[in-house]
Amino acid sequence: MKAVKQIMLVVLGLFFFALQGCSHEDYIPVPGPAGADGTNGTNGIDGTTECATCHSKAHTGPIKASYALSVHAIETLHETTNASGATITLKTSEYTNRTGCVQCHTSQGYIDKVNGDVLKTGTGTALGFPAYPGGKQAISCTTCHDKHSSFDFKNDGNDFALRQGFTPVVLATDASYKIEMGTSNTCVNCHQPRAIVPTTGDIKLSNRFGPHYGPQSTLLEGIQGALIVGSTPYPAPKSAKHRTGASCVTCHMGKDSEATNGAHTWKPTPNACTTCHAGGTPTSVTGYAADMATLEELLVAKGAYSTTTNSLTTATVPIKVAQAAWNYVMLKQDKSNGVHNPAYAKALLKNSIEAIK
Ligand code: HEC
Ligand code: HEC
Ligand code: HEC
Ligand code: HEC
Ligand code: HEC
Ligand code: HEC
């Protein structure tokens, strides 16, 4: 610093020496009287601190650790056979790296879908000819996150740099229906059904009959169950308290009570329940397990379900039985044991039982 100052002084000295020696003295500007003081500026916002609340190792460390525990990161395993007939085990995103599946099951497929790009297709079976490069297709940070749409968090809110967080989701099974759930829209994109409930005719069942894994969004919304007429009224869509007062993100990504829940583990955290269930969170939906067991027995009696394979049979059944089977499979695939929408789940069960008793 000192050296710099000394050099500056030398330079200035030479400058004034040069001016002095110059013959055009009248060009030297003469300072006028001092102006009035300016008004005080407003205090600046410390931009770095604001960014660092999320962009610091201290903050993202625990997020990465919780993500690593999640099923999105770990993926489940699936046994299948390869081209030469040998049994092999694949992770979900490898097993489903094919046409019709990539938009929810592979990272790049989801990104292309959200961007409105044409989805790549595999040229053969999933095993040898994946649609997307194999290996790194698990759902990761950059699947759900992209970049901020604005840095004016004060006026525009913080979008958590979500790739698709704020556009209502048009359902894959019903282009006229949109689900709007704030940042939980991200979840709705993938956790929605792929098939719709049959309404007429005799139906040939199979172990693929049903909405397909992931009907959580529609159950929470209170739609797309088979609304068999019966003595228990169905609550209106969007009316469930778990929908109006909570969302996927509040229950599954709330502040963790221990490292293994909430946040980016996506395991429901008890912290999210006690805000409403102050007197203690109910552990189950009243009557759910018993009603599911009754419905299963009735489906077995109608030849629709096998307790040996634990799946639907391939029987052809009347529409009422098919619809009851739909409700059974939908509630099973939802995996929350009715918690997502207790009143709707109970009505579906009661009316299904009544219809095929
Ligand atoms: C409420 C949390 C939050 C705040 C505050 C925040 N960000 Fe982000 N930002 C995120 C998330 C989440 C992501 C996506 C995941 C990731 O990259 O960690 C992201 C991503 C980004 C990315 C893209 C990442 C990349 O690698 O290209 C940039 C750039 C960025 N933020 C800059 C900023 C700046 C600058 C600020 C302050 C003005 C800021 N962010 C404040 C949450 C936040
Ligand atoms: C890109 C699609 C996609 C998005 C977005 C997504 N999920 Fe998932 N999610 C999946 C898939 C696929 C699985 C199953 C992975 C497996 O079994 O290997 C899964 C698994 C899960 C599981 C574990 C289920 C189990 O059987 O144990 C939970 C809980 C979950 N997701 C919640 C959420 C929530 C909450 C959001 C929104 C913040 C979300 N997911 C966003 C596709 C997605
Ligand atoms: C609309 C999005 C979507 C599409 C399209 C989709 N899936 Fe899924 N799938 C999911 C979600 C979400 C889950 C996880 C649900 C859960 O665990 O509750 C899942 C779960 C699964 C599982 C079960 C994982 C397990 O062990 O629990 C299999 C197997 C599967 N999907 C296969 C497929 C196949 C094969 C295709 C294409 C023919 C496909 N999926 C298309 C969203 C989708
Ligand atoms: C399945 C989708 C999904 C994946 C994968 C995902 N996030 Fe997020 N993340 C979200 C959503 C949704 C929110 C907004 C939660 C809310 O509304 O409170 C969020 C919020 C955040 C935030 C801001 C809130 C906070 O807790 O500070 C950060 C930072 C963040 N994510 C970082 C990451 C990082 C790092 C990864 C990878 C290790 C990751 N996310 C993976 C969906 C995802
Ligand atoms: C009222 C709180 C609440 C809301 C809202 C909620 N969930 Fe859940 N969810 C739960 C509980 C509780 C379970 C049961 C967890 C268990 O039994 O391990 C569950 C189960 C699940 C499962 C199966 C997890 C497993 O381990 O088998 C998935 C996937 C899931 N929810 C996704 C979602 C999605 C997507 C949304 C939004 C459309 C959502 N949830 C909304 C509380 C909630
Ligand atoms: C926004 C407030 C709110 C939150 C948050 C909430 N609940 Fe609920 N919950 C309710 C209300 C109100 C009912 C009763 C009405 C109904 O069935 O929809 C209920 C019903 C239930 C039931 C059914 C009880 C029965 O006797 O059938 C269960 C189980 C349940 N909640 C579990 C949970 C869990 C677990 C969480 C946290 C992951 C949670 N709830 C979060 C408000 C909430």
Side-chain angles (χ1 to χ4, degrees), residues 208-231:
R208 296 186 176 204
F209 178 82
H212 175 81
Y213 318 97
Q216 290 91 7
S217 303
T218 44
L219 185 63
L220 185 62
E221 188 83 353
I223 58 170
Q224 295 195 1
L227 302 186
I228 303 169
V229 180
S231 56

mmCIF file of all heavy atoms in Angstrom, residues 208-231:
data_model
loop_
_atom_site.group_PDB
_atom_site.id
_atom_site.type_symbol
_atom_site.label_atom_id
_atom_site.label_comp_id
_atom_site.label_asym_id
_atom_site.label_seq_id
_atom_site.Cartn_x
_atom_site.Cartn_y
_atom_site.Cartn_z
ATOM 1 N N ARG A 208 -51.737 -54.779 -14.155
ATOM 2 C CA ARG A 208 -51.454 -53.378 -14.502
ATOM 3 C C ARG A 208 -52.689 -52.501 -14.396
ATOM 4 O O ARG A 208 -52.608 -51.290 -14.609
ATOM 5 C CB ARG A 208 -50.924 -53.286 -15.919
ATOM 6 C CG ARG A 208 -49.611 -54.007 -15.978
ATOM 7 C CD ARG A 208 -48.932 -53.865 -17.286
ATOM 8 N NE ARG A 208 -47.649 -54.529 -17.124
ATOM 9 C CZ ARG A 208 -46.594 -54.267 -17.848
ATOM 10 N NH1 ARG A 208 -46.661 -53.359 -18.781
ATOM 11 N NH2 ARG A 208 -45.471 -54.903 -17.634
ATOM 12 N N PHE A 209 -53.841 -53.113 -14.129
ATOM 13 C CA PHE A 209 -55.069 -52.329 -14.017
ATOM 14 C C PHE A 209 -54.963 -51.407 -12.803
ATOM 15 O O PHE A 209 -54.496 -51.798 -11.746
ATOM 16 C CB PHE A 209 -56.257 -53.287 -13.862
ATOM 17 C CG PHE A 209 -57.589 -52.613 -13.699
ATOM 18 C CD1 PHE A 209 -58.291 -52.156 -14.810
ATOM 19 C CD2 PHE A 209 -58.148 -52.434 -12.442
ATOM 20 C CE1 PHE A 209 -59.525 -51.531 -14.655
ATOM 21 C CE2 PHE A 209 -59.371 -51.807 -12.276
ATOM 22 C CZ PHE A 209 -60.057 -51.356 -13.394
ATOM 23 N N GLY A 210 -55.391 -50.155 -12.999
ATOM 24 C CA GLY A 210 -55.324 -49.187 -11.896
ATOM 25 C C GLY A 210 -54.655 -47.925 -12.392
ATOM 26 O O GLY A 210 -54.246 -47.823 -13.553
ATOM 27 N N PRO A 211 -54.547 -46.929 -11.519
ATOM 28 C CA PRO A 211 -54.032 -45.615 -11.958
ATOM 29 C C PRO A 211 -52.521 -45.582 -12.182
ATOM 30 O O PRO A 211 -52.021 -44.602 -12.706
ATOM 31 C CB PRO A 211 -54.411 -44.692 -10.799
ATOM 32 C CG PRO A 211 -54.560 -45.583 -9.617
ATOM 33 C CD PRO A 211 -54.983 -46.922 -10.107
ATOM 34 N N HIS A 212 -51.805 -46.566 -11.835
ATOM 35 C CA HIS A 212 -50.334 -46.660 -11.839
ATOM 36 C C HIS A 212 -49.804 -45.967 -10.588
ATOM 37 O O HIS A 212 -50.292 -44.951 -10.185
ATOM 38 C CB HIS A 212 -49.687 -46.054 -13.087
ATOM 39 C CG HIS A 212 -48.170 -46.066 -13.011
ATOM 40 N ND1 HIS A 212 -47.438 -47.171 -13.309
ATOM 41 C CD2 HIS A 212 -47.285 -45.133 -12.648
ATOM 42 C CE1 HIS A 212 -46.157 -46.912 -13.143
ATOM 43 N NE2 HIS A 212 -46.032 -45.679 -12.730
ATOM 44 N N TYR A 213 -48.746 -46.517 -10.056
ATOM 45 C CA TYR A 213 -48.101 -45.984 -8.860
ATOM 46 C C TYR A 213 -48.076 -44.451 -8.894
ATOM 47 O O TYR A 213 -47.709 -43.866 -9.904
ATOM 48 C CB TYR A 213 -46.654 -46.474 -8.772
ATOM 49 C CG TYR A 213 -46.483 -47.921 -9.129
ATOM 50 C CD1 TYR A 213 -46.084 -48.295 -10.408
ATOM 51 C CD2 TYR A 213 -46.755 -48.909 -8.192
ATOM 52 C CE1 TYR A 213 -45.945 -49.628 -10.742
ATOM 53 C CE2 TYR A 213 -46.616 -50.234 -8.524
ATOM 54 C CZ TYR A 213 -46.215 -50.599 -9.796
ATOM 55 O OH TYR A 213 -46.085 -51.910 -10.128
ATOM 56 N N GLY A 214 -48.377 -43.836 -7.791
ATOM 57 C CA GLY A 214 -48.228 -42.387 -7.732
ATOM 58 C C GLY A 214 -49.503 -41.572 -7.845
ATOM 59 O O GLY A 214 -49.463 -40.460 -8.345
ATOM 60 N N PRO A 215 -50.681 -42.106 -7.381
ATOM 61 C CA PRO A 215 -51.897 -41.285 -7.463
ATOM 62 C C PRO A 215 -52.054 -40.337 -6.274
ATOM 63 O O PRO A 215 -53.173 -39.926 -5.947
ATOM 64 C CB PRO A 215 -53.019 -42.340 -7.477
ATOM 65 C CG PRO A 215 -52.473 -43.451 -6.632
ATOM 66 C CD PRO A 215 -50.974 -43.444 -6.828
ATOM 67 N N GLN A 216 -50.939 -39.951 -5.644
ATOM 68 C CA GLN A 216 -51.021 -39.121 -4.434
ATOM 69 C C GLN A 216 -51.695 -37.768 -4.699
ATOM 70 O O GLN A 216 -52.486 -37.289 -3.896
ATOM 71 C CB GLN A 216 -49.620 -38.889 -3.841
ATOM 72 C CG GLN A 216 -48.986 -40.130 -3.215
ATOM 73 C CD GLN A 216 -48.152 -40.925 -4.210
ATOM 74 O OE1 GLN A 216 -47.930 -40.502 -5.341
ATOM 75 N NE2 GLN A 216 -47.686 -42.097 -3.792
ATOM 76 N N SER A 217 -51.356 -37.144 -5.829
ATOM 77 C CA SER A 217 -51.892 -35.809 -6.112
ATOM 78 C C SER A 217 -53.411 -35.833 -6.272
ATOM 79 O O SER A 217 -54.110 -34.958 -5.771
ATOM 80 C CB SER A 217 -51.285 -35.245 -7.394
ATOM 81 O OG SER A 217 -49.900 -35.202 -7.293
ATOM 82 N N THR A 218 -53.903 -36.844 -7.004
ATOM 83 C CA THR A 218 -55.341 -36.880 -7.256
ATOM 84 C C THR A 218 -56.117 -37.311 -6.007
ATOM 85 O O THR A 218 -57.236 -36.871 -5.795
ATOM 86 C CB THR A 218 -55.666 -37.817 -8.442
ATOM 87 O OG1 THR A 218 -54.904 -39.011 -8.306
ATOM 88 C CG2 THR A 218 -55.334 -37.149 -9.765
ATOM 89 N N LEU A 219 -55.504 -38.144 -5.170
ATOM 90 C CA LEU A 219 -56.193 -38.515 -3.928
ATOM 91 C C LEU A 219 -56.283 -37.290 -3.016
ATOM 92 O O LEU A 219 -57.340 -36.995 -2.447
ATOM 93 C CB LEU A 219 -55.476 -39.665 -3.210
ATOM 94 C CG LEU A 219 -56.220 -40.171 -1.959
ATOM 95 C CD1 LEU A 219 -57.579 -40.747 -2.307
ATOM 96 C CD2 LEU A 219 -55.410 -41.233 -1.213
ATOM 97 N N LEU A 220 -55.199 -36.563 -2.887
ATOM 98 C CA LEU A 220 -55.194 -35.353 -2.057
ATOM 99 C C LEU A 220 -56.223 -34.357 -2.600
ATOM 100 O O LEU A 220 -56.952 -33.707 -1.843
ATOM 101 C CB LEU A 220 -53.798 -34.728 -2.060
ATOM 102 C CG LEU A 220 -53.572 -33.509 -1.158
ATOM 103 C CD1 LEU A 220 -53.787 -33.848 0.298
ATOM 104 C CD2 LEU A 220 -52.161 -32.947 -1.357
ATOM 105 N N GLU A 221 -56.296 -34.249 -3.905
ATOM 106 C CA GLU A 221 -57.241 -33.349 -4.562
ATOM 107 C C GLU A 221 -58.678 -33.854 -4.386
ATOM 108 O O GLU A 221 -59.624 -33.071 -4.409
ATOM 109 C CB GLU A 221 -56.885 -33.275 -6.054
ATOM 110 C CG GLU A 221 -57.645 -32.248 -6.860
ATOM 111 C CD GLU A 221 -57.052 -30.849 -6.764
ATOM 112 O OE1 GLU A 221 -56.122 -30.650 -5.961
ATOM 113 O OE2 GLU A 221 -57.515 -29.959 -7.495
ATOM 114 N N GLY A 222 -58.848 -35.172 -4.208
ATOM 115 C CA GLY A 222 -60.182 -35.751 -4.074
ATOM 116 C C GLY A 222 -60.853 -35.983 -5.414
ATOM 117 O O GLY A 222 -62.049 -35.734 -5.570
ATOM 118 N N ILE A 223 -60.056 -36.462 -6.396
ATOM 119 C CA ILE A 223 -60.605 -36.754 -7.728
ATOM 120 C C ILE A 223 -60.076 -38.090 -8.241
ATOM 121 O O ILE A 223 -59.114 -38.628 -7.701
ATOM 122 C CB ILE A 223 -60.248 -35.651 -8.771
ATOM 123 C CG1 ILE A 223 -58.730 -35.478 -8.878
ATOM 124 C CG2 ILE A 223 -60.924 -34.321 -8.414
ATOM 125 C CD1 ILE A 223 -58.287 -34.589 -10.037
ATOM 126 N N GLN A 224 -60.718 -38.584 -9.299
ATOM 127 C CA GLN A 224 -60.292 -39.759 -10.054
ATOM 128 C C GLN A 224 -60.350 -41.086 -9.298
ATOM 129 O O GLN A 224 -59.737 -42.057 -9.709
ATOM 130 C CB GLN A 224 -58.914 -39.533 -10.706
ATOM 131 C CG GLN A 224 -58.980 -38.430 -11.747
ATOM 132 C CD GLN A 224 -57.784 -38.384 -12.683
ATOM 133 O OE1 GLN A 224 -56.868 -39.191 -12.606
ATOM 134 N NE2 GLN A 224 -57.784 -37.428 -13.604
ATOM 135 N N GLY A 225 -61.111 -41.116 -8.198
ATOM 136 C CA GLY A 225 -61.507 -42.404 -7.653
ATOM 137 C C GLY A 225 -62.734 -42.830 -8.454
ATOM 138 O O GLY A 225 -63.301 -42.023 -9.191
ATOM 139 N N ALA A 226 -63.133 -44.114 -8.330
ATOM 140 C CA ALA A 226 -64.371 -44.535 -8.998
ATOM 141 C C ALA A 226 -65.525 -44.175 -8.061
ATOM 142 O O ALA A 226 -65.669 -44.771 -6.990
ATOM 143 C CB ALA A 226 -64.332 -46.031 -9.264
ATOM 144 N N LEU A 227 -66.310 -43.178 -8.459
ATOM 145 C CA LEU A 227 -67.359 -42.666 -7.569
ATOM 146 C C LEU A 227 -68.618 -43.529 -7.639
ATOM 147 O O LEU A 227 -69.673 -43.104 -8.129
ATOM 148 C CB LEU A 227 -67.675 -41.201 -7.903
ATOM 149 C CG LEU A 227 -66.494 -40.225 -7.812
ATOM 150 C CD1 LEU A 227 -66.953 -38.792 -8.024
ATOM 151 C CD2 LEU A 227 -65.784 -40.341 -6.458
ATOM 152 N N ILE A 228 -68.487 -44.757 -7.146
ATOM 153 C CA ILE A 228 -69.618 -45.683 -7.116
ATOM 154 C C ILE A 228 -70.682 -45.098 -6.195
ATOM 155 O O ILE A 228 -70.376 -44.646 -5.084
ATOM 156 C CB ILE A 228 -69.148 -47.062 -6.573
ATOM 157 C CG1 ILE A 228 -68.006 -47.600 -7.441
ATOM 158 C CG2 ILE A 228 -70.301 -48.029 -6.478
ATOM 159 C CD1 ILE A 228 -67.301 -48.822 -6.849
ATOM 160 N N VAL A 229 -71.945 -45.109 -6.675
ATOM 161 C CA VAL A 229 -73.022 -44.522 -5.871
ATOM 162 C C VAL A 229 -73.247 -45.373 -4.621
ATOM 163 O O VAL A 229 -73.296 -46.600 -4.691
ATOM 164 C CB VAL A 229 -74.316 -44.429 -6.713
ATOM 165 C CG1 VAL A 229 -75.448 -43.811 -5.877
ATOM 166 C CG2 VAL A 229 -74.065 -43.601 -7.968
ATOM 167 N N GLY A 230 -73.376 -44.734 -3.465
ATOM 168 C CA GLY A 230 -73.579 -45.459 -2.221
ATOM 169 C C GLY A 230 -74.033 -44.539 -1.117
ATOM 170 O O GLY A 230 -74.290 -43.351 -1.351
ATOM 171 N N SER A 231 -74.101 -45.072 0.096
ATOM 172 C CA SER A 231 -74.692 -44.286 1.185
ATOM 173 C C SER A 231 -73.722 -43.276 1.816
ATOM 174 O O SER A 231 -74.136 -42.424 2.580
ATOM 175 C CB SER A 231 -75.237 -45.230 2.262
ATOM 176 O OG SER A 231 -74.192 -46.082 2.690
#
